[in-house]
Amino acid sequence: MTAFNTISLIGMPGAGKSTVGVVLAKLTGLRFCDTDLDIQVREHATLQAILERHGYDYLRSVEEQVILGVDLDDAVISTGGSAVYSEVCMQRLQMAGPVVYLKADLESLEQRVAAAPLRGIASDTSLSFADIYAERTPLYRRYAGLTVDATRGCAEQVADSILACLQTHP
């Protein structure tokens, strides 16, 4: 168990927020909430389909509504990569418990995202993945209470690292 009722995960697409989040929830006894899945259920469409139909501003707006409305109690929250564009969402997550940035280098992220190219990344289509990485990284750093290297080992090892850091830096 953990001393925290809520742990939120932020980071780029491909960082492992959903995968690590499930493991972290099992290790802590908290439930798992993936806001990207909540968006898809609400909109009855994949993130990619939402982007194609309505654009990235709409997807970010829906993401904000979902994060502001989701029950944060007793949960590991996996956010979409663009959650950091909403200051009000990030403040809500910070008030609920630690916000953990799953950091990964650009090369690792590009390899992971290449394996699943239609991920529905909520950004201007004129931006490259590297541009999005450069734009978002300072925001992840700004809002994170804790940063963990998401490329060091498997999901279980990353989840263990998060727990170890939370125990030493509550």
Short mmCIF file of all heavy atoms in Angstrom, two decimals, residues 14-49:
data_model
loop_
_atom_site.label_atom_id
_atom_site.label_comp_id
_atom_site.label_asym_id
_atom_site.label_seq_id
_atom_site.Cartn_x
_atom_site.Cartn_y
_atom_site.Cartn_z
N GLY A 14 4.04 7.19 -25.53
CA GLY A 14 5.09 6.20 -25.62
C GLY A 14 5.93 6.07 -24.36
O GLY A 14 6.78 5.18 -24.27
N ALA A 15 5.72 6.95 -23.38
CA ALA A 15 6.51 6.89 -22.15
C ALA A 15 6.13 5.70 -21.27
O ALA A 15 6.91 5.28 -20.44
CB ALA A 15 6.36 8.19 -21.36
N GLY A 16 4.91 5.18 -21.46
CA GLY A 16 4.48 4.01 -20.68
C GLY A 16 3.51 4.33 -19.57
O GLY A 16 3.35 3.53 -18.64
N LYS A 17 2.83 5.45 -19.66
CA LYS A 17 1.91 5.85 -18.59
C LYS A 17 0.82 4.80 -18.34
O LYS A 17 0.56 4.46 -17.18
CB LYS A 17 1.26 7.21 -18.92
CG LYS A 17 2.26 8.34 -19.04
CD LYS A 17 1.61 9.66 -19.41
CE LYS A 17 0.89 9.64 -20.73
NZ LYS A 17 1.73 9.61 -21.92
N SER A 18 0.22 4.30 -19.39
CA SER A 18 -0.84 3.30 -19.22
C SER A 18 -0.29 1.98 -18.70
O SER A 18 -0.84 1.39 -17.77
CB SER A 18 -1.58 3.08 -20.54
OG SER A 18 -2.22 4.27 -20.95
N THR A 19 0.79 1.52 -19.29
CA THR A 19 1.37 0.23 -18.90
C THR A 19 1.89 0.28 -17.47
O THR A 19 1.59 -0.60 -16.66
CB THR A 19 2.51 -0.14 -19.87
OG1 THR A 19 2.01 -0.08 -21.21
CG2 THR A 19 3.04 -1.53 -19.59
N VAL A 20 2.67 1.29 -17.15
CA VAL A 20 3.21 1.44 -15.80
C VAL A 20 2.08 1.71 -14.81
O VAL A 20 2.10 1.20 -13.69
CB VAL A 20 4.28 2.56 -15.75
CG1 VAL A 20 4.69 2.88 -14.32
CG2 VAL A 20 5.48 2.18 -16.60
N GLY A 21 1.09 2.47 -15.24
CA GLY A 21 -0.03 2.80 -14.37
C GLY A 21 -0.78 1.57 -13.87
O GLY A 21 -1.14 1.49 -12.69
N VAL A 22 -1.02 0.62 -14.75
CA VAL A 22 -1.70 -0.63 -14.36
C VAL A 22 -0.88 -1.37 -13.30
O VAL A 22 -1.41 -1.82 -12.29
CB VAL A 22 -1.97 -1.53 -15.59
CG1 VAL A 22 -2.42 -2.92 -15.17
CG2 VAL A 22 -3.00 -0.90 -16.51
N VAL A 23 0.42 -1.48 -13.54
CA VAL A 23 1.30 -2.17 -12.58
C VAL A 23 1.33 -1.42 -11.25
O VAL A 23 1.23 -2.03 -10.18
CB VAL A 23 2.73 -2.30 -13.17
CG1 VAL A 23 3.68 -2.89 -12.14
CG2 VAL A 23 2.71 -3.14 -14.44
N LEU A 24 1.45 -0.11 -11.32
CA LEU A 24 1.50 0.72 -10.11
C LEU A 24 0.21 0.58 -9.30
O LEU A 24 0.23 0.48 -8.07
CB LEU A 24 1.76 2.17 -10.49
CG LEU A 24 2.09 3.15 -9.38
CD1 LEU A 24 3.32 2.72 -8.61
CD2 LEU A 24 2.29 4.55 -9.98
N ALA A 25 -0.92 0.52 -10.00
CA ALA A 25 -2.21 0.34 -9.31
C ALA A 25 -2.24 -1.00 -8.59
O ALA A 25 -2.69 -1.08 -7.44
CB ALA A 25 -3.36 0.45 -10.32
N LYS A 26 -1.76 -2.03 -9.22
CA LYS A 26 -1.73 -3.36 -8.58
C LYS A 26 -0.82 -3.36 -7.36
O LYS A 26 -1.15 -3.94 -6.33
CB LYS A 26 -1.28 -4.43 -9.58
CG LYS A 26 -2.33 -4.75 -10.63
CD LYS A 26 -1.83 -5.80 -11.59
CE LYS A 26 -2.88 -6.11 -12.66
NZ LYS A 26 -2.43 -7.11 -13.61
N LEU A 27 0.33 -2.70 -7.47
CA LEU A 27 1.29 -2.67 -6.36
C LEU A 27 0.78 -1.86 -5.17
O LEU A 27 1.15 -2.14 -4.03
CB LEU A 27 2.63 -2.10 -6.83
CG LEU A 27 3.43 -2.95 -7.80
CD1 LEU A 27 4.66 -2.18 -8.30
CD2 LEU A 27 3.85 -4.27 -7.15
N THR A 28 -0.03 -0.85 -5.44
CA THR A 28 -0.48 0.05 -4.37
C THR A 28 -1.88 -0.28 -3.84
O THR A 28 -2.28 0.25 -2.81
CB THR A 28 -0.50 1.51 -4.86
OG1 THR A 28 -1.36 1.60 -6.01
CG2 THR A 28 0.90 2.00 -5.22
N GLY A 29 -2.62 -1.10 -4.57
CA GLY A 29 -3.99 -1.38 -4.18
C GLY A 29 -4.95 -0.28 -4.57
O GLY A 29 -6.10 -0.25 -4.14
N LEU A 30 -4.48 0.64 -5.42
CA LEU A 30 -5.35 1.70 -5.92
C LEU A 30 -5.99 1.25 -7.23
O LEU A 30 -5.49 0.35 -7.89
CB LEU A 30 -4.53 2.98 -6.17
CG LEU A 30 -3.82 3.58 -4.95
CD1 LEU A 30 -2.89 4.71 -5.37
CD2 LEU A 30 -4.84 4.07 -3.93
N ARG A 31 -7.10 1.87 -7.61
CA ARG A 31 -7.70 1.55 -8.90
C ARG A 31 -6.94 2.29 -9.99
O ARG A 31 -6.21 3.25 -9.71
CB ARG A 31 -9.19 1.88 -8.92
CG ARG A 31 -9.51 3.32 -8.81
CD ARG A 31 -11.03 3.57 -8.70
NE ARG A 31 -11.23 4.98 -8.45
CZ ARG A 31 -11.19 5.92 -9.39
NH1 ARG A 31 -11.00 5.59 -10.65
NH2 ARG A 31 -11.34 7.19 -9.08
N PHE A 32 -7.11 1.86 -11.22
CA PHE A 32 -6.42 2.47 -12.35
C PHE A 32 -7.41 3.24 -13.20
O PHE A 32 -8.49 2.75 -13.52
CB PHE A 32 -5.72 1.41 -13.19
CG PHE A 32 -5.06 1.97 -14.42
CD1 PHE A 32 -3.96 2.80 -14.32
CD2 PHE A 32 -5.55 1.68 -15.69
CE1 PHE A 32 -3.36 3.33 -15.44
CE2 PHE A 32 -4.95 2.20 -16.82
CZ PHE A 32 -3.84 3.03 -16.70
N CYS A 33 -7.04 4.46 -13.58
CA CYS A 33 -7.86 5.30 -14.44
C CYS A 33 -7.00 5.83 -15.58
O CYS A 33 -5.98 6.47 -15.33
CB CYS A 33 -8.43 6.46 -13.62
SG CYS A 33 -9.31 7.68 -14.64
N ASP A 34 -7.40 5.55 -16.80
CA ASP A 34 -6.70 6.04 -17.98
C ASP A 34 -7.59 7.08 -18.64
O ASP A 34 -8.64 6.75 -19.20
CB ASP A 34 -6.43 4.87 -18.93
CG ASP A 34 -5.56 5.26 -20.11
OD1 ASP A 34 -5.70 6.38 -20.63
OD2 ASP A 34 -4.73 4.42 -20.52
N THR A 35 -7.20 8.36 -18.55
CA THR A 35 -8.08 9.42 -19.06
C THR A 35 -8.23 9.36 -20.58
O THR A 35 -9.26 9.78 -21.10
CB THR A 35 -7.61 10.81 -18.61
OG1 THR A 35 -6.29 11.07 -19.11
CG2 THR A 35 -7.64 10.93 -17.09
N ASP A 36 -7.24 8.81 -21.29
CA ASP A 36 -7.40 8.64 -22.74
C ASP A 36 -8.56 7.67 -23.03
O ASP A 36 -9.36 7.91 -23.95
CB ASP A 36 -6.12 8.10 -23.38
CG ASP A 36 -5.09 9.18 -23.67
OD1 ASP A 36 -5.42 10.38 -23.57
OD2 ASP A 36 -3.94 8.82 -23.99
N LEU A 37 -8.65 6.60 -22.27
CA LEU A 37 -9.77 5.66 -22.45
C LEU A 37 -11.10 6.31 -22.09
O LEU A 37 -12.11 6.10 -22.76
CB LEU A 37 -9.55 4.40 -21.62
CG LEU A 37 -8.37 3.53 -22.02
CD1 LEU A 37 -8.24 2.33 -21.09
CD2 LEU A 37 -8.51 3.05 -23.46
N ASP A 38 -11.10 7.12 -21.02
CA ASP A 38 -12.33 7.83 -20.64
C ASP A 38 -12.78 8.77 -21.75
O ASP A 38 -13.98 8.90 -22.00
CB ASP A 38 -12.11 8.61 -19.34
CG ASP A 38 -11.98 7.72 -18.12
OD1 ASP A 38 -12.21 6.49 -18.23
OD2 ASP A 38 -11.65 8.24 -17.03
N ILE A 39 -11.83 9.42 -22.40
CA ILE A 39 -12.16 10.31 -23.53
C ILE A 39 -12.81 9.49 -24.65
O ILE A 39 -13.83 9.88 -25.22
CB ILE A 39 -10.90 11.03 -24.05
CG1 ILE A 39 -10.40 12.05 -23.02
CG2 ILE A 39 -11.17 11.70 -25.40
CD1 ILE A 39 -9.00 12.56 -23.30
N GLN A 40 -12.21 8.35 -24.97
CA GLN A 40 -12.73 7.52 -26.05
C GLN A 40 -14.13 7.01 -25.75
O GLN A 40 -15.00 7.00 -26.63
CB GLN A 40 -11.78 6.34 -26.32
CG GLN A 40 -10.46 6.79 -26.92
CD GLN A 40 -9.51 5.67 -27.24
OE1 GLN A 40 -8.56 5.89 -27.95
NE2 GLN A 40 -9.71 4.47 -26.72
N VAL A 41 -14.38 6.63 -24.51
CA VAL A 41 -15.71 6.15 -24.12
C VAL A 41 -16.72 7.30 -24.23
O VAL A 41 -17.80 7.14 -24.78
CB VAL A 41 -15.69 5.57 -22.68
CG1 VAL A 41 -17.09 5.34 -22.16
CG2 VAL A 41 -14.88 4.27 -22.66
N ARG A 42 -16.34 8.44 -23.72
CA ARG A 42 -17.24 9.61 -23.76
C ARG A 42 -17.59 10.01 -25.19
O ARG A 42 -18.73 10.34 -25.50
CB ARG A 42 -16.58 10.78 -23.04
CG ARG A 42 -17.37 12.05 -23.12
CD ARG A 42 -16.63 13.21 -22.51
NE ARG A 42 -17.13 14.44 -23.09
CZ ARG A 42 -17.05 15.61 -22.52
NH1 ARG A 42 -16.50 15.72 -21.35
NH2 ARG A 42 -17.51 16.67 -23.11
N GLU A 43 -16.57 9.99 -26.07
CA GLU A 43 -16.75 10.46 -27.45
C GLU A 43 -17.16 9.34 -28.41
O GLU A 43 -17.42 9.61 -29.58
CB GLU A 43 -15.47 11.12 -27.95
CG GLU A 43 -15.12 12.39 -27.20
CD GLU A 43 -16.09 13.53 -27.49
OE1 GLU A 43 -16.34 13.83 -28.67
OE2 GLU A 43 -16.61 14.10 -26.50
N HIS A 44 -17.19 8.09 -27.94
CA HIS A 44 -17.52 6.94 -28.79
C HIS A 44 -16.62 6.88 -30.03
O HIS A 44 -17.10 6.62 -31.14
CB HIS A 44 -18.99 6.96 -29.21
CG HIS A 44 -19.93 7.06 -28.07
ND1 HIS A 44 -20.15 6.02 -27.19
CD2 HIS A 44 -20.70 8.09 -27.63
CE1 HIS A 44 -21.02 6.39 -26.27
NE2 HIS A 44 -21.36 7.65 -26.50
N ALA A 45 -15.32 7.15 -29.82
CA ALA A 45 -14.37 7.16 -30.93
C ALA A 45 -12.96 7.04 -30.37
O ALA A 45 -12.72 7.36 -29.21
CB ALA A 45 -14.50 8.45 -31.74
N THR A 46 -12.03 6.59 -31.22
CA THR A 46 -10.63 6.56 -30.82
C THR A 46 -10.09 7.99 -30.79
O THR A 46 -10.68 8.90 -31.40
CB THR A 46 -9.78 5.74 -31.80
OG1 THR A 46 -9.80 6.41 -33.08
CG2 THR A 46 -10.29 4.31 -31.92
N LEU A 47 -8.96 8.17 -30.12
CA LEU A 47 -8.35 9.51 -30.10
C LEU A 47 -8.02 9.97 -31.51
O LEU A 47 -8.24 11.13 -31.86
CB LEU A 47 -7.08 9.49 -29.23
CG LEU A 47 -7.25 9.14 -27.76
CD1 LEU A 47 -5.90 9.13 -27.06
CD2 LEU A 47 -8.22 10.07 -27.06
N GLN A 48 -7.51 9.06 -32.34
CA GLN A 48 -7.17 9.41 -33.71
C GLN A 48 -8.41 9.86 -34.49
O GLN A 48 -8.37 10.85 -35.21
CB GLN A 48 -6.50 8.22 -34.42
CG GLN A 48 -5.97 8.54 -35.80
CD GLN A 48 -4.83 9.57 -35.78
OE1 GLN A 48 -4.02 9.57 -34.88
NE2 GLN A 48 -4.81 10.43 -36.79
N ALA A 49 -9.52 9.15 -34.32
CA ALA A 49 -10.76 9.54 -35.01
C ALA A 49 -11.26 10.90 -34.52
O ALA A 49 -11.74 11.72 -35.32
CB ALA A 49 -11.83 8.48 -34.81
#
